[in-house]
Amino acid sequence: MPGFFSPFITKPDSVSQIMLKVLLALIPGIALYVWHFGPAILVSITLASLTALATEALMLRLRNRPIAPFLKDNSALLTGWLLALSIPPLAPWWLVVIGTAFAISVSKHLYGGLGNNPFNPAMIGYAVLIISFPVQMTQWLSPHGMGSVELGFIEQLNYIFLGVFPEGIKLDALTMATPLDTLKTQLHLDGQIREILDMPIYGRLAGHGSEMVAAGFLLGGLYLLATRIISWHIPVVYLGTLFAVAGLFHLLDPAHYVEPLFHWFSGAAMIGAFFILTDPITSPTTHKGKLIFAFGAGLLTYLIRAFGGFPDGMAFATLLMNICVPLIDAYTQPKVFGKKGQKS
Amino acid sequence: MRTLYPFHGGIHPASNKAQSNHKPIAQAALPSRLVIPLHQHVGNSAKPVVEIGQCVLKGQIIGAPEGHVSSAVHAPTSGVIAAIDMQPVAHPSGIPDLCITLIPDGNDEWIAREPCDDWKALAHTDLRHRLRAAGVVGLGGAAFPSDMKLYAHKHKIKTLVLNGAECEPYITCDDLLMRERAAEILQGAEIMCALLYAEEVLIGIEDNKPEAIAAMRAAVLDGKYERMEVVAVPTIYPGGGAKQLIRVLTGIEVAAGVRSTNLGVQCFNVGTAYSTWRAIRHGEPLISRIVTVTGNVGQPQNFEALLGTPVNELVAQAEQLPDTRGYIMGGPMMGIRLPSAQVGVIKATNCLIAMSDSLFPPALPALPCIRCTRCVDVCPAELQPQELFWFAQSKNLLKAQEYHLFDCIECGACSYVCPSNIPLVEYYRFAKSEIWAQETSKKAADAARERHEYREQRIEREKQEKAEKLAAKEKAALDAKAQKSASPPPTPLPPAGEGASVSDAPVDADPEDTMHLKIQAAIDHAKQQAAGSKPGNTEQLTPQQQAEIAEIDARRTRIRELALSSVNEHTKE
Amino acid sequence: MLSALLVMAAIAIALGAVLGFAAIKFHVEGNPLVEKIDAVLPQTQCGQCGFPGCKPYATAIAEGVADINLCPPGGEEGIHKLADLLGVDFKPFGGDTTPKPKAVAFIDENNCIGCTLCIQACPVDAIVGAAKQMHTIIAAECTGCELCVAPCPVDCIDMVKIAENISNWKWKYPVYALTPSK
Ligand code: SF4
Ligand code: SF4
């Protein structure tokens, strides 16, 4: 019987509050997103949220679990948001729906629901989408003042839901490759870093606009650190590793390897460092384990970005490191009180 | 300034001590009856040494210690023994235990006491003996017989830690005791120090009790105790756990299953030091203690209450509020919810908290663990509570032990912080008691196996001995025959091998036959007996019972057949 | 293709030879599996499994002729352990075998005629007494097998359930509904 045995008091803290704070921390990044790329992202976030909640409820129903307490835990919402933020905002509606539904149903509930999923659901959703729909997944909106034409909100809605554009406008005119993508293609074409970075899509540190969004996520991440929702281990080591490896290559060959700050502020590095890798369910629990995990993820992200086939390595790095979590945990068990002098 | 060694983790729950610590200790009124459990301490239950209807005096032994680890129980006041029976006690199971019920006569008349003006003149064994006879046990909650802990080889123990930390919310009994009776605590500590040959006494008090710290410091100065020091330790739960306080004060970590004395430290509660002094100096056994009565009451306060005082009578004196729905004995982190309001105060009762829904809202539903590691951050034993939970939940007891389940001190810090509201400690308690039970039954099984094998061997041996005896007889008979027929004719003498088989055969057959005969005789005998005395109570059986009987009988016959067949096989081989 | 097949076949034969050799070379006398199974059984020696004692049942399990769910005193816990040991699936108790609460035999000393039949039946020598003397049971050694009940010619042996008390009480497995308690 609950409350019959000690302790009789608990800290007023709950999973749903934790998740809510994480959602709140995403808001600066989202606001900057809207500022630079228009409100389309809000549509996909809403779409992803609704799909996430509906799928969650359906799965709970099928698994015969109580629906209300789990729907209220906000974890499905967070998965939806993270996924929406990692796919192009102007993606057709079914892309968001398929990705979110897959993330929630297969990668979360088929593994036993909240707390039991070995992989980050949002990243699984992303990976499935980028493998199945590579074209739609690379049509990123160009930031304000960059594209040759820009769409109004209604026109964006029209495209997302109905797939129709105003007379005479083609999708190509609205979208362009991401900064990381462009870098990769240009390097392939024997471009030099200096020249490439002079292209108009690049801003001060990385992609024009997207660098600001990354900065927004950094801000939210600092809030999470300050409120102790996450510990410093993963973000610091992840960004540190990324910086160190990128810096090393940059020092060796500045013409072909872009400087480390560029890596920080492009792609999913920032949101990954603070919001995705730090997902407690799919990351190690020991301090040492977190360090190893973040180091591995940082290294893999760089290697995939610099040498792999995909422009951004964040998602795959996360998933690859997710696999290692049980192993990392098992091998990094710390010594307990009174047994530090002994060999385990 | 002394260097402190803070331990890992810990939590800061609302202390709720202010309600009860501003009033002096009050003498509780003599209750209408006293319910005194005989098992108030770690170790064997005391054995009742009084009879129903007997008149006892205050301080008279009513339960004698039994065995090595045990403690005496005394009559808290003079009166008549009304009952010796099973009564609800303060135990999480809610199972009743043997208690003595005493109806006070109101005279409060002491038995002859044996005070001692100069304890230094007494031998250490004598001092320990007096403590055992006075029923002094640890008053911090564990209730371990103190005489057992006050034994040390010379110069083995460096530090005696006196625990006045009192880290659990709501509890203020040690606080008040230290404020009001500091001198006597220190005198008791001096006795303990002498018994342990300790070099220093460190008195750890959490820094949220400035009055107690001041009172104890003044008493140390007054008494010119050079080897004693009052140390203010940071307020953090569970800083008052013995292991944690030892660590904070000395830097020594006592792992599970290790005796702190082997590491040169021993730890006692301040209340224990006080009762040690009362027992040695005044010859007063442990018959009362300070109890904080707080929670859902109008006048939270500390009472000096007789052991055995029913909880409801004591709480009533603090003006219990009407919406009380239960009582906690001990603190809200590690206490026990009482199965009944009539449970008597015991030696370990430091606090009684009246519960109401507003003070202790019902627990929220538990969600799955999200591996947020908040529990890891607060665990003072530096465990991985979420892993322990995982293993305990899946009943993977072996793994749980590998992850140091038994180092968990059940402080409840992990349950307190868990955002998923998982009753983590309950899982650990379950796993621990399951492991203990399995170990007990394993031991029992091993013992049974040994006894069974021994029995088989014995039967085998007896058989052989009989066979040998028979063989000897046979041989003697043969020899006699041989001697009779003077010189043996060469032809009838069988070859050696045959001879052996001839003489062997009866030896082999004979014991079997005698065995069978005996068995048969026994069976016949039993049958006769059974026929003579019909099983009683067979007239009015339900068909179901009859079916059961038939089934059992069938099983028994089958077993018997099987057993017999295997016996036969055995002998044929 | 052919060469690959040949290589594979050669490897298979070589490995098989090694295994076979190891089996002969490291052959262990006796059957350690029986010992291991026996170690898991509760040693009640009651025969409720249909075998005359725990060791015979262990042998039968090892030989594959008996199921793992026949030992009521071992309880479900015991079946779990056997399943783990043998690497087979857990099987609940079959229709007619059910676990029973632990009990000890108790001799009604007024009726005992001192026939020693129960002493001969007791597999663990837990009964003391001599011919024509009153017998009694050493409760601590009694495994609760009930084998002494049947031989008693005057039916003076009863099985007394061991009641739950403070010292043998166990913490229960916490069961929580996922809905708020009202
Ligand atoms: S605090 Fe609770 S939810 Fe968090 S890791 Fe520990 S057990 Fe799991
Ligand atoms: S109850 Fe045990 S596991 Fe939980 S915090 Fe306390 S010592 Fe650690």
Side-chain angles (χ1 to χ4, degrees):
Chain A
M1 198 212 290
F4 205 84
F5 301 112
S6 62
F8 300 97
I9 48 176
T10 55
K11 199 173 174 183
D13 195 1
S14 66
V15 178
S16 81
Q17 273 172 26
I18 292 178
M19 298 285 175
L20 192 68
K21 283 190 188 151
V22 180
L23 289 175
L24 280 181
L26 279 170
I27 286 182
I30 296 174
L32 285 161
Y33 209 127
V34 174
W35 178 259
H36 285 282
F37 295 88
I41 184 69
L42 296 180
V43 180
S44 41
I45 287 181
T46 317
L47 209 53
S49 304
L50 293 178
T51 315
L53 291 178
T55 319
E56 176 95 355
L58 182 72
M59 291 310 290
L60 288 168
R61 183 75 187 274
L62 289 178
R63 288 178 56 219
N64 226 342
R65 314 292 320 265
I67 295 177
F70 281 107
L71 269 196
K72 277 190 258 161
D73 70 21
N74 291 337
S75 64
L77 221 48
L78 183 59
T79 303
W81 284 32
L82 288 176
L83 184 61
L85 285 171
S86 34
I87 54 188
L90 209 52
W93 64 272
W94 48 265
L95 201 65
V96 182
V97 171
I98 291 179
T100 316
F102 190 88
I104 300 281
S105 60
V106 175
S107 70
K108 183 173 178 188
H109 280 284
L110 287 194
Y111 284 101
L114 180 70
N116 292 311
N117 46 308
F119 300 107
N120 190 313
M123 290 303 102
I124 288 275
Y126 173 83
V128 166
L129 290 182
I130 201 159
I131 291 169
S132 323
F133 311 101
V135 180
Q136 287 85 345
M137 284 296 283
T138 40
Q139 289 163 344
W140 291 84
L141 268 182
S142 19
H144 272 314
M146 287 283 148
S148 42
V149 264
E150 270 173 39
L151 288 186
F153 188 46
I154 303 293
E155 288 159 337
Q156 286 184 342
L157 280 185
N158 258 342
Y159 173 67
I160 294 174
F161 288 102
L162 305 171
V164 290
F165 282 116
E167 252 344 89
I169 295 184
K170 287 226 185 74
L171 186 59
D172 291 350
L174 294 165
T175 61
M176 52 195 222
T178 62
L180 273 174
D181 223 354
T182 316
L183 183 70
K184 196 161 230 173
T185 349
Q186 293 297 326
L187 281 173
H188 258 293
L189 300 175
D190 275 340
Q192 295 276 313
I193 293 283
R194 277 285 125 238
E195 304 154 18
I196 301 172
L197 289 190
D198 282 340
M199 293 168 67
I201 68 158
Y202 293 103
R204 259 150 297 179
L205 293 169
H208 186 92
S210 58
E211 62 187 13
M212 291 313 290
V213 176
F217 291 136
L218 172 61
L219 197 69
L222 293 179
Y223 163 76
L224 290 184
L225 274 180
T227 48
R228 307 263 204 131
I229 301 281
I230 57 174
S231 71
W232 60 268
H233 304 80
I234 290 179
V236 168
V237 174
Y238 175 73
L239 292 176
T241 310
L242 192 57
F243 193 92
V245 187
L248 190 72
F249 277 94
H250 181 67
L251 280 182
L252 290 178
D253 185 2
H256 291 101
Y257 295 99
V258 74
E259 55 193 39
L261 276 184
F262 180 90
H263 279 285
W264 272 20
F265 286 92
S266 43
M270 274 301 163
I271 193 173
F274 290 100
F275 293 89
I276 293 170
L277 285 169
T278 51
D279 168 27
I281 298 167
T282 55
S283 62
T285 52
T286 62
H287 289 175
K288 226 195 272 171
K290 281 180 182 158
L291 302 183
I292 297 173
F293 175 79
F295 172 77
L299 196 66
L300 284 173
T301 306
Y302 186 79
L303 292 180
I304 298 173
R305 279 184 179 182
F307 309 105
F310 290 96
D312 197 352
M314 173 64 216
F316 290 103
T318 308
L319 294 175
L320 284 173
M321 290 315 289
N322 283 165
I323 307 180
C324 310
V325 166
L327 202 67
I328 296 178
D329 268 343
Y331 282 100
T332 55
Q333 286 301 315
K335 292 270 159 62
V336 310
F337 186 87
K339 297 195 176 155
K340 281 170 206 131
Q342 314 164 358
K343 280 195 192 157
S344 57
Chain B
M1 199 60 201
R2 176 171 284 275
T3 9
L4 297 181
Y5 306 85
F7 59 91
H8 173 266
I11 53 172
H12 296 276
S15 82
N16 281 310
K17 289 177 190 271
Q19 294 95 316
S20 55
N21 69 4
H22 57 276
K23 268 189 242 147
I25 300 170
Q27 198 63 46
L30 194 65
S32 62
R33 64 196 183 102
L34 296 164
V35 184
I36 310 143
L38 284 158
H39 197 191
Q40 305 193 17
H41 45 261
V42 172
N44 300 329
S45 188
K47 200 175 64 192
V49 290
V50 286
E51 276 156 24
I52 296 173
Q54 187 178 336
C55 288
V56 291
L57 294 175
K58 180 172 186 164
Q60 182 175 341
I61 286 203
I62 54 176
E66 175 130 288
H68 197 47
V69 186
S70 185
S71 193
V73 177
H74 304 79
T77 183
S78 58
V80 185
I81 305 292
I84 305 175
D85 59 358
M86 304 301 263
Q87 297 277 343
V89 292
H91 190 269
S93 65
I95 298 174
D97 200 14
L98 197 59
C99 294
I100 294 180
T101 308
L102 174 74
I103 306 291
D105 58 13
N107 300 333
D108 211 23
E109 188 185 332
W110 271 102
I111 196 168
R113 274 164 287 175
E114 196 183 341
C116 167
D117 289 328
D118 182 18
W119 60 267
K120 286 185 179 133
L122 294 179
H124 283 187
T125 41
D126 197 10
L127 285 171
R128 272 191 287 272
H129 189 78
R130 281 174 188 237
L131 286 177
R132 181 171 159 107
V136 176
V137 301
L139 296 187
F144 195 85
S146 297
D147 55 301
M148 304 280 305
K149 276 174 76 183
L150 282 168
Y151 183 82
H153 294 290
K154 247 182 202 169
H155 310 304
K156 272 284 289 283
I157 292 198
K158 180 168 172 276
T159 313
L160 166 62
V161 169
L162 218 50
N163 189 345
E166 202 168 53
C167 59
E168 272 228 48
Y170 286 98
I171 311 179
T172 57
C173 62
D174 290 346
D175 186 3
L176 267 287
L177 185 77
M178 289 188 288
R179 290 191 206 183
E180 298 188 9
R181 305 178 191 176
E184 290 173 287
I185 296 174
L186 295 184
Q187 281 163 317
E190 220 196 346
I191 301 178
M192 292 175 156
C193 188
L195 281 172
L196 293 170
Y197 304 101
E199 290 164 29
E200 54 172 1
V201 180
L202 297 181
I203 305 161
I205 306 173
E206 280 194 348
D207 53 17
N208 61 354
K209 295 182 252 306
E211 292 95 338
I213 295 174
M216 291 292 280
R217 288 215 166 118
V220 169
L221 282 182
D222 279 353
K224 302 206 175 55
Y225 297 108
E226 270 153 25
R227 292 180 302 172
M228 297 196 188
E229 186 186 339
V230 176
V231 188
V233 299
T235 301
I236 185 167
Y237 178 84
K243 290 174 193 238
Q244 278 62 42
L245 189 65
I246 289 175
R247 148 98 201 200
V248 169
L249 292 176
T250 65
I252 295 170
E253 291 188 357
V254 185
V258 176
R259 283 167 191 237
S260 66
T261 41
N262 290 345
L263 303 173
V265 226
Q266 185 62 291
C267 179
F268 282 98
N269 178 265
V270 284
T272 318
Y274 173 76
S275 13
T276 299
W277 174 247
R278 300 298 300 182
I280 300 294
R281 171 65 186 83
H282 302 286
E284 280 175 16
L286 183 56
I287 51 169
S288 69
R289 67 157 296 149
I290 319 284
V291 182
T292 310
V293 182
T294 179
N296 197 36
V297 293
Q299 299 292 326
Q301 195 177 358
N302 281 283
F303 290 95
E304 170 134 28
L306 297 181
L307 300 182
T309 307
V311 164
N312 51 0
E313 292 197 29
L314 189 55
V315 178
Q317 295 176 47
E319 296 172 19
Q320 171 180 326
L321 298 178
D323 60 335
T324 299
R325 62 169 167 89
Y327 306 94
I328 299 170
M329 184 177 282
M333 294 300 297
M334 294 179 78
I336 296 169
R337 181 129 175 219
L338 294 179
S340 142
Q342 272 84 45
V343 169
V345 164
I346 53 174
K347 293 175 184 178
T349 310
N350 46 10
C351 182
L352 290 170
I353 306 175
M355 299 174 88
S356 70
D357 278 337
S358 52
L359 287 177
F360 299 95
L364 293 165
L367 286 176
C369 166
I370 57 163
R371 295 165 44 95
C372 66
T373 66
R374 280 172 175 54
C375 49
V376 180
D377 295 342
V378 299
C379 176
E382 292 164 69
L383 305 174
Q384 299 281 315
Q386 86 286 3
E387 303 276 4
L388 288 177
F389 162 64
W390 183 258
F391 295 132
Q393 187 194 33
S394 52
K395 303 191 185 166
N396 192 344
L397 303 177
L398 217 65
K399 265 294 201 210
Q401 259 172 299
E402 250 173 57
Y403 277 67
H404 312 283
L405 174 67
F406 284 97
D407 280 273
C408 166
I409 56 166
E410 298 180 21
C411 68
C414 51
S415 303
Y416 176 79
V417 294
C418 178
S420 284
N421 299 308
I422 305 171
L424 295 164
V425 193
E426 238 173 281
Y427 282 94
Y428 309 150
R429 292 186 186 123
F430 154 76
K432 284 183 186 176
S433 77
E434 199 62 33
I435 291 169
W436 283 321
Q438 281 187 12
E439 260 164 31
T440 328
S441 61
K442 180 95 187 52
K443 263 189 215 145
D446 286 346
R449 183 184 302 111
E450 215 169 273
R451 288 178 80 86
H452 182 60
E453 275 163 10
Y454 175 77
R455 179 187 145 92
E456 306 241 286
Q457 264 175 23
R458 192 193 66 215
I459 291 172
E460 192 62 29
R461 198 186 58 223
E462 277 168 4
K463 218 197 277 171
Q464 234 162 40
E465 275 167 11
K466 252 183 221 152
E468 269 159 26
K469 252 189 222 154
L470 262 164
K473 251 192 212 158
E474 197 86 4
K475 199 156 172 263
L478 264 177
D479 281 357
K481 235 189 206 166
Q483 265 176 11
K484 248 186 209 163
S485 56
S487 58
T491 22
L493 190 75
E498 254 176 62
S501 78
V502 166
S503 63
D504 262 357
V507 173
D508 236 67
D510 230 346
E512 202 184 332
D513 282 351
T514 40
M515 271 261 285
H516 275 308
L517 276 177
K518 265 193 190 159
I519 291 174
Q520 201 45 51
I523 291 172
D524 289 346
H525 184 69
K527 266 189 195 144
Q528 269 172 14
Q529 293 263 350
S533 72
K534 239 175 55 193
N537 217 3
T538 47
E539 285 80 33
Q540 302 139 340
L541 287 178
T542 63
Q544 197 195 346
Q545 279 169 323
Q546 246 146 10
E548 270 171 30
I549 290 171
E551 185 198 313
I552 291 169
D553 279 345
R555 207 179 64 216
R556 282 186 186 137
T557 12
R558 204 171 112 67
I559 293 165
R560 220 167 291 137
E561 272 164 20
L562 268 171
L564 274 178
S565 69
S566 82
V567 165
N568 288 340
E569 258 169 42
H570 206 68
T571 38
K572 256 183 239 150
E573 267 168 19
Chain C
M1 187 64 197
L2 189 67
S3 62
L5 275 179
L6 283 178
V7 169
M8 295 304 270
I11 291 176
I13 290 170
L15 286 179
V18 170
L19 279 180
F21 175 72
I24 297 165
K25 167 104 191 186
F26 301 110
H27 178 73
V28 203
E29 276 310 324
N31 193 346
L33 186 59
V34 173
E35 301 293 325
K36 278 189 197 151
I37 298 174
D38 194 40
V40 170
L41 295 175
Q43 303 303 321
T44 324
Q45 315 292 359
C46 62
Q48 289 182 57
C49 49
F51 296 88
C54 297
K55 193 72 165 273
Y57 178 42
T59 318
I61 297 179
E63 285 165 358
V65 296
D67 235 330
I68 56 168
N69 62 347
L70 302 176
C71 173
E76 299 224 332
E77 202 45 52
I79 304 182
H80 272 296
K81 279 193 196 150
L82 285 174
D84 284 351
L85 178 66
L86 301 169
V88 297
D89 281 338
F90 170 80
K91 232 187 213 177
F93 281 111
D96 46 349
T97 31
T98 38
K100 266 192 217 161
K102 270 211 174 126
V104 285
F106 174 77
I107 297 184
D108 181 351
E109 287 159 7
N110 297 324
N111 289 344
C112 171
I113 52 167
C115 67
T116 76
L117 285 175
C118 56
I119 296 189
Q120 290 163 32
C122 177
V124 291
D125 288 341
I127 307 179
V128 284
K132 310 247 161 70
Q133 305 278 312
M134 185 186 29
H135 294 3
T136 194
I137 298 209
I138 314 170
E141 308 290 357
C142 173
T143 62
C145 70
E146 303 186 8
L147 289 181
C148 53
V149 177
C152 178
V154 290
D155 267 334
C156 73
I157 305 182
D158 280 326
M159 297 307 294
V160 183
K161 262 189 231 144
I162 300 176
E164 196 174 47
N165 60 32
I166 284 194
S167 43
N168 70 11
W169 176 77
K170 287 196 293 184
W171 283 88
K172 303 286 171 301
Y173 186 76
V175 184
Y176 288 90
L178 261 170
T179 42
S181 54
K182 294 281 151 57

